[in-house]
């Protein structure tokens, strides 16, 4: 009787582990451009324009060549804060440094808009940051949560 309970418990645990691992799988074959296309197709990317690799250096102090692939959208206007960053790192050890650069960007935006832009500061404070596998996603937008969900769907 006890043996049957143990076997059932072990089987239940194994099934749970298999389900969790299966649900959290990430497609590592995608580039940031592949993910970008999926997100842009949702129509949620608004008030932003794609910025080249110089933008990554200017706003984050990072070199795009250090990463596998990068896509950066920045505000269309200097009075806005909407932006989106998608990075596929070459190695997971790069994630912490990337997240530090994102923190610095957030602080810089809060400092820039702190004295006259309460709406912009509210958006910056409601940013979305998601790391999954070798991908890092960051967004500041009224649609930030939707953009994050689109990112999660695109890497499955």
């Amino acid at each position: 009787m006890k043996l049957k309970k143990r076997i059932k418990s072990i089987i239940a645990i194994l099934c749970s582990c298999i389900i969790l691992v299966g649900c959290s799988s990430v497609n590592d074959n995608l580039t940031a451009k592949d993910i970008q296309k999926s997100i842009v197709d949702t129509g949620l990317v608004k008030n932003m324009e794609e910025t080249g690799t110089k933008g990554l250096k200017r706003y984050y102090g990072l070199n795009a060549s250090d990463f596998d692939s990068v896509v950066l959208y920045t505000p269309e206007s200097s009075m806005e804060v909407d932006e989106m960053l998608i990075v596929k790192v070459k190695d997971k050890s790069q994630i912490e440094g990337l997240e530090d650069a994102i923190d610095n960007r957030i602080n810089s935006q809060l400092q820039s808009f702190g004295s006259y832009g309460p709406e912009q500061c509210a958006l910056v404070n409601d940013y979305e940051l998601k790391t999954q596998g070798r991908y890092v996603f960051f967004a500041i937008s009224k649609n930030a949560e939707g953009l994050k969900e689109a990112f999660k769907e695109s890497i499955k």
Side-chain angles (χ1 to χ4, degrees):
M1 192 70 150
K2 288 183 180 182
L3 182 60
K4 283 185 180 182
K5 282 186 177 181
R6 283 189 180 167
I7 291 174
K8 285 182 182 180
S9 295
I10 291 171
I11 290 173
I13 291 170
L14 286 174
C15 288
S16 296
C17 290
I18 291 169
I19 289 170
L20 288 174
V21 169
C23 291
S24 64
S25 66
V26 173
N27 182 354
D28 274 337
N29 297 321
L30 300 171
T31 66
K33 286 279 188 192
D34 296 331
I35 297 166
Q36 169 199 16
K37 183 179 178 343
S38 295
I39 294 172
V40 169
D41 287 348
T42 65
L44 294 172
V45 178
K46 298 177 182 175
N47 303 321
M48 296 181 252
E49 59 189 7
E50 189 172 358
T51 306
T53 56
K54 289 181 182 179
L56 188 68
K57 183 69 171 173
R58 178 179 176 194
Y59 299 118
Y60 293 87
L62 300 170
N63 294 313
S65 61
D66 293 342
F67 302 101
D68 194 324
S69 58
V70 176
V71 170
L72 174 62
Y73 278 78
T74 55
E76 291 175 343
S77 160
S78 61
M79 298 305 295
E80 299 297 329
V81 293
D82 298 58
E83 64 186 73
M84 179 177 70
L85 176 64
I86 305 164
V87 179
K88 181 178 183 183
V89 296
K90 290 180 180 177
D91 184 83
K92 287 187 179 184
S93 65
Q94 295 176 295
I95 292 173
E96 186 176 342
L98 179 57
E99 288 176 342
D100 289 343
I102 290 169
D103 282 342
N104 290 338
R105 175 67 174 155
I106 291 165
N107 291 330
S108 171
Q109 288 292 74
L110 288 172
Q111 201 169 32
S112 294
F113 290 95
S115 61
Y116 67 91
E119 289 179 26
Q120 289 89 342
C121 287
L123 282 177
V124 173
N125 281 320
D126 288 337
Y127 70 88
E128 291 289 344
L129 177 62
K130 179 72 178 166
T131 301
Q132 203 158 345
R134 291 178 35 216
Y135 302 104
V136 176
F137 172 84
F138 169 66
I140 298 172
S141 170
K142 289 178 183 173
N143 302 317
E145 189 172 337
L147 292 168
K148 180 184 78 173
E149 292 305 316
F151 162 75
K152 287 169 38 180
E153 282 297 313
S154 70
I155 61 172
K156 283 186 178 181

